[in-house]
Amino acid sequence: MRFLGINAVFHDPAAALVVDGEVVAAAEEERFSRRKHGKRPVPFSAWELPEQAAAWCLAEAGLRPEDLDAVAYSYDPSLVRQETGAPWEDLRTTYATRAPNFLATALPGLDPAQVRFVPHHVAHAASAGLAAPYDECAVLVCDGRGESVSHLAGHYRDGELTTLATQELPHSLGLMYEDVTEHLGFMRSSDEYKVMAMASYGTPRHLDVLRELVAATPEGGFRVEPIDWGGFAKRLGSGERWTADHADLAASVQARLEEVLLDLAFWLHGRTGARRLAMAGGVALNCVANTRLLAEGPFEDIWVQPAAGDSGTALGGALHLAQEHGEPAGPMRGADLGRRWSDDEVAAWLDVARVPYTRPRDLAGEVAAALADDRIVAWFQGRSEYGPRALGRRSLLAHPGHVRNTERLNDVKGREQFRPVAPMVLESRARDIFGRGPVPSPYMLFVHDVRPEWRERIPAVVHVDGTARIQTVSPESDPLMAGVLERFEALSGLPVVVNTSLNTAGRPMVDSPRDALECFGSAPVDVLVIGPCVVRRPA
């Protein structure tokens, strides 16, 4: 059977396709439209659908819209309570209610009756609990908002979800974090990771006050009272310089978020007795909080769905329908679910662009040598990633042993200098260099302590607090990248390379060969490795 999942109502519109119990394709609309996050998260945009992503998913499987057994739309307008007080909520609800007809227009041949509304947080939960490598697990969903709640705690057993607690709006940990993101001069529903990075530069001196305003409740939920952010630090405009007061506010909010998540995890463990936890929702992208949950919480293992934000509800909706129809999908095998091009197609793109290139016999060795020579390498290989993290498919790579490379990469990308870049490391070597976080860690969703003896050896990937958000690689999951890491260590003595996303500020990650050529042509990158081809910038 064939199930298409659609996320559209808030932000990060995306599509995912499950066929006969297998996740065949998943992609975010931003990778096609080249518009960051696909659209802004306002009611006026709720009608916009991931038309290109959905059409590509079907084409990838050789299907037409009329071949689908059902389409999951990851929002149920019948669950909306108008008294939530959100401006223009009636407009968002109207658009969502009419989504079946909008989808039938976008995908000619689709019967609107085939569209099923899947509650937003159920779709999040399914994207974690049904995709996790567990037969049974607790599931924790926390984000800004769904129809009328902002949180779900539950338990998956034999593919069935038992919901144990939800939290009604307006109380929301995700919206609290969005509010402080905006107060600190960043874009809400987009730049929350910048607050997480800034938090490492401050001290949580407002924690006692926030504990009075934000707290878990005995029923497995929480309360978030109105907060006067201006009482902690002056509101910043976009691009305005931040101070220690702003870093202290970020640190305080981050710390309180972690504490409340720990309270929720202990409550959930007490109700389920589960050994494992699966997580989704935008808050689950907070890798600092995830590591604290694993280190101090009650669960032995935690698995976070790599597209944990709203884009992942497209996958969750499709998995939910497949489970309902008796065709459960197996565990998620990886995040490389997007578009791909053959070697010959890549070469044809370069020929059309009249770009000189080589096709070295030892690609891994050539790339390792460029990195050892302190070149910045744009890396374009295989299927693109589903979710916000660059995982060795659309990446910028660099030497980790030169502290200036953090600044170089932030300059290439045109982003704030306080933001860290991440290390990629062979799974077999990770424990030698990094502590506290889990291994394997293939999706960059946890932070790890960098062991003291390594901090001066790989300074480009060490954040100000001594941590790094690692990605582990194995020869089985990515033999080419594993080969690069092995060859780079042989040349440099370092088993780590810098990995950050292949894009510039305000732009989605590179997805197609055209995107890669445009990025390479406009940014100070030394080498482009695209499929089997190597393009070098003229001296």
Side-chain angles (χ1 to χ4, degrees), residues 107-126:
L107 301 171
L110 176 69
D111 182 353
Q114 295 292 89
V115 179
R116 306 281 187 269
F117 294 118
V118 177
H120 187 72
H121 287 87
V122 171
H124 268 311

Side-chain angles (χ1 to χ4, degrees), residues 9-10 74-77 79-81 84 86 89 92-93 118-122 124 141-152 167-169 171-172 175 310 313:
V9 73
F10 292 117
S74 61
Y75 188 84
D76 186 347
L79 300 178
V80 174
R81 291 185 298 103
T84 56
E89 188 64 39
R92 179 184 279 121
T93 304
V118 177
H120 187 72
H121 287 87
V122 171
H124 268 311
V141 174
C142 195
D143 65 358
R145 59 158 297 182
E147 298 87 354
S148 59
V149 302
S150 67
H151 156 68
L152 180 150
Q167 178 54 59
E168 291 195 354
L169 295 168
H171 302 282
S172 170
L175 290 181
D310 273 8
T313 64

